[in-house]
Amino acid sequence: MTAGIMSSQEALQQLINALSLGSTYALLALGLAMVFSILGLVNFAHGELVTVAAYTIYIENEHGVPFAIQVVSAVVAASIAAVLMERIAFRPLRGAGFVTLLFSSFALSVIIQNLFLAFVSPRQKGVAMPNVFNTAFRFGGTYSIGWLPVITTITCLLSLVVLTLFLRRSVQGLGMLAASQDFQVTRLMGISANRVIMAAFAISGALAGVAAIFILARRGTVEPTMGFNPVLKAFIASVIGGLGSLSGAVVGGFVLAFIEVTLDATLPVDIAPFRDAFALLIVIAILYFRPEGLLTRSEER
Amino acid sequence: MQATSVDILTVDDLVVRYGPIVAVQSVSLNVRQGEIVALLGANGAGKSSLLNAVVGLVPIAGGLVKFKGEPINKLTPEAIVRRGISLTPEGRRVFPRLSVADNLRLGGAVTRDRADYDAAHEHVLNLFPILGERMRQNGGTLSGGQQQMLAIGRSLMARPALLLLDEPSLGLAPIVVDQIFELLERLRREGTTILLVEQNVHRALEIADRAYVLASGRVESHGEAAALRASAEIERAYLGIGVSE
């Protein structure tokens, strides 16, 4: 992308790019925030849920499974993986300190990466995605817009709507919101602690699975360490929004994406490789003025 | 409803420890069907620990808790509320960023039957009409007294046979305190058994049938509320605090 004044075609495409990137970040950050708000755990193995989903698609792709089934099973696999993480790595440590849980999640992340490395391949593998993801459509006669960012944005926003309805309208969802505000009293309502925690992980996994489909479509390859970048971005997004705030995580995801896409579009070519450094500088500036994040928990509605 | 001689709650030799600190030391007490029993004592006497142990929020180090004749020691808080014990915790602890309606809805989460749920909801709004006017407001934006009403209403949504109340009048204006105590008498008339932890000794002994006085995690004295009102035991347990009220 070259610097300079953008055409309206370019501006529209960049806007959609930012929305699509932001909505993927939002799903990932929301998963992190959901677990954090209930358990006080920053799950750095969250990125490996993306890896699990991506490899599910890769393996099924190799065996000629229809794409629709690949997509559904990727989301289910990430969700199951998240529930298993909780059972195996976090439940035995229930009530342990923040740092203990954090280290456990780091360990889990490394172990899962090495499982893929040992049992699949240490190298990058190409994954053929449906053609529609590589094509563009005409819009208003003059604009050409890529299908991938449009589908990404719509799917991710739909996931957010479904999740919001579940959290706000169902007793189980309200129980999860309640658990993030006062876990003990939520149990006094007769709502099972284990079930709330399991649901938080299952949802965070499913959201990561949905995000993974589009991360994979964008990069076109799988590799064991592919979860690192997404979890890092998700963490930054949730810190921007205010760690533990669900709406903050979504807002943070979009803010981070808009910063990145704007820098991509405006930085001179020779500085472009340092885009992430500039993005983080802006994040630091935001946190300097809003140390608690954009949406602190007391302001959340 | 008149108090009968049937125990709804029996606490036998209960011990609660937080690490090396003993909060409750072999306390035995019972609550009979239809009674209001007051649990009195100075700060740190172990009253809240006892309530929290009964509902399973803090682990029991020794002794036995029986509800309707069945041991509930090993049950989780979520299982105990389903058996019919609700705790309105100290400090109200309404869900601050959920609406009044959602707070109540969660209180009724254990009620499977739709008609039972609706009846409980109507009952609560009947007891606290102000909550009906604030349904869409977040719990955290209510006044202290309204929050206490919401906290009690939320507990009642589970239609408990036994209601445990931890300091329901703490920090409230006198007129609201009056309302709370009137409410407790009304609930008793309607058949709810109540175990009440209160700082306001005077008011508590007025409405209670019986009372236990705890000091340093032990039962210092117990008996008919009327008899305790006249005795000096209370004064000693409180070191003079709260008696002049």
Side-chain angles (χ1 to χ4, degrees):
Chain A
M1 186 66 55
T2 52
I5 299 158
M6 277 186 272
S7 66
S8 60
Q9 150 76 38
E10 239 177 288
L12 184 65
Q13 182 64 60
Q14 295 297 357
L15 176 68
I16 290 174
N17 285 348
L19 283 175
S20 93
L21 189 63
S23 55
T24 356
Y25 288 170
L27 291 195
L28 290 168
L30 189 54
L32 269 188
M34 185 158 257
V35 167
F36 179 81
S37 68
I38 291 173
L39 273 191
L41 155 72
V42 177
N43 181 14
F44 269 96
H46 194 63
E48 274 54 55
L49 299 171
V50 171
T51 315
V52 166
Y55 272 85
T56 304
I57 291 178
Y58 163 70
I59 290 165
E60 292 184 352
N61 216 325
E62 298 288 289
H63 292 85
V65 175
F67 184 68
I69 295 177
Q70 291 178 26
V71 165
V72 173
S73 55
V75 174
V76 171
S79 189
I80 292 173
V83 170
L84 288 177
M85 280 182 181
E86 193 270 320
R87 275 291 162 88
I88 295 165
F90 301 126
R91 190 173 294 188
L93 298 175
R94 187 90 48 91
F98 177 79
V99 177
T100 309
L101 290 168
L102 190 68
F103 273 58
S104 181
S105 82
F106 275 130
L108 193 60
S109 164
V110 172
I111 290 167
I112 295 172
Q113 285 180 22
N114 280 285
L115 287 177
F116 283 109
L117 201 137
F119 292 105
V120 186
S121 166
R123 286 182 300 123
Q124 276 199 0
K125 296 279 184 186
V127 181
M129 296 296 270
N131 267 333
V132 59
F133 287 155
N134 303 318
T135 56
F137 66 95
R138 297 232 146 252
F139 168 77
T142 50
Y143 302 108
S144 171
I145 306 293
W147 270 115
L148 178 56
V150 172
I151 297 173
T152 305
T153 307
I154 292 172
T155 312
C156 293
L157 290 182
L158 271 179
S159 308
L160 289 180
V161 169
V162 170
L163 181 63
T164 306
L165 286 176
F166 167 73
L167 289 176
R168 286 274 158 207
R169 299 265 183 268
S170 73
V171 174
Q172 292 87 342
L174 286 172
M176 296 183 68
L177 292 178
S180 75
Q181 299 176 20
D182 193 328
F183 195 82
Q184 281 195 330
V185 175
T186 306
R187 302 186 72 185
L188 289 180
M189 306 291 107
I191 290 162
S192 153
N194 283 337
R195 258 212 239 159
V196 163
I197 291 169
M198 204 174 94
F201 274 92
I203 290 171
S204 85
L207 294 174
V210 173
I213 297 162
F214 301 109
I215 291 171
L216 180 60
R218 206 153 47 225
R219 46 179 287 154
T221 60
V222 293
E223 64 180 314
T225 55
M226 68 183 289
F228 177 70
N229 189 51
V231 74
L232 187 63
K233 294 299 167 64
F235 180 65
I236 294 168
S238 56
V239 169
I240 293 174
L243 197 56
S245 154
L246 301 186
S247 32
V250 174
V251 171
F254 283 102
V255 169
L256 180 62
F258 272 87
I259 293 172
E260 288 186 354
V261 169
T262 309
L263 289 174
D264 275 339
T266 54
L267 282 181
V269 176
D270 39 346
I271 309 183
F274 303 106
R275 183 259 264 170
D276 280 353
F278 284 98
L280 287 175
L281 270 180
I282 297 172
V283 170
I284 290 169
I286 293 174
L287 293 177
Y288 180 81
F289 292 106
R290 301 280 313 212
E292 306 267 305
L294 293 175
L295 275 77
T296 59
R297 301 189 67 183
S298 55
E299 290 171 42
E300 192 181 26
R301 286 290 175 269
Chain B
M1 193 162 141
Q2 205 49 47
T4 62
S5 56
V6 184
D7 272 9
I8 190 164
L9 181 75
T10 316
V11 173
D12 202 12
D13 243 351
L14 183 75
V15 180
V16 177
R17 280 198 207 98
Y18 304 107
I21 301 157
V22 180
V24 176
Q25 215 168 130
S26 63
V27 166
S28 298
L29 59 79
N30 67 319
V31 180
R32 298 182 202 120
Q33 186 96 46
E35 273 188 320
I36 295 183
V37 173
L39 205 51
L40 309 171
N43 276 331
K47 298 164 296 175
S48 292
S49 298
L50 193 147
L51 292 193
N52 287 332
V54 168
V55 297
L57 277 183
V58 300
I60 292 173
L64 188 64
V65 179
K66 283 197 289 186
F67 178 63
K68 292 180 175 169
E70 286 177 39
I72 56 169
N73 290 39
K74 303 274 184 269
L75 299 182
T76 58
E78 45 267 40
I80 290 171
V81 64
R82 284 171 193 281
R83 295 276 179 107
I85 305 181
S86 281
L87 168 68
T88 309
E90 184 179 355
R92 311 184 278 265
R93 288 168 75 174
V94 300
F95 299 115
R97 295 183 300 283
L98 291 184
S99 69
V100 169
D102 288 342
N103 268 278
L104 293 178
R105 191 155 168 223
L106 283 169
V110 295
T111 313
R112 287 268 165 266
D113 186 76
R114 185 75 214 179
D116 284 350
Y117 177 92
D118 289 342
H121 198 255
E122 201 185 314
H123 181 226
V124 168
L125 291 188
N126 198 345
L127 291 172
F128 308 111
I130 185 76
L131 295 183
E133 296 166 26
R134 301 286 155 99
M135 287 304 251
R136 303 252 57 89
Q137 217 170 307
N138 274 359
T141 65
L142 299 179
S143 72
Q146 289 164 0
Q147 285 191 10
Q148 187 62 64
M149 293 175 194
L150 177 56
I152 296 175
R154 187 177 62 180
S155 296
L156 291 176
M157 285 296 296
R159 302 163 65 87
L162 174 63
L163 178 62
L164 311 182
L165 292 157
D166 199 346
E167 306 277 9
S169 78
L170 196 68
L172 301 182
I175 184 160
V176 185
V177 174
D178 289 345
Q179 285 175 16
I180 300 281
F181 279 97
E182 277 165 31
L183 168 82
L184 299 186
E185 291 191 302
R186 174 166 171 192
L187 288 177
R188 186 238 310 260
R189 281 199 303 277
E190 289 170 355
T192 310
T193 308
I194 295 171
L195 177 57
L196 169 69
V197 163
E198 240 324 314
Q199 292 278 342
N200 196 333
V201 178
H202 209 71
R203 297 299 297 269
L205 288 178
E206 266 174 29
I207 62 160
D209 299 291
R210 292 183 304 121
Y212 290 80
V213 180
L214 296 193
S216 314
R218 295 174 183 281
V219 175
E220 180 105 340
S221 64
H222 66 98
E224 299 293 317
L228 277 167
R229 240 181 298 174
S231 103
E233 297 277 355
I234 307 247
E235 234 166 314
R236 256 199 292 144
Y238 280 93
L239 304 163
I241 303 161
V243 180
S244 55
E245 282 181 284

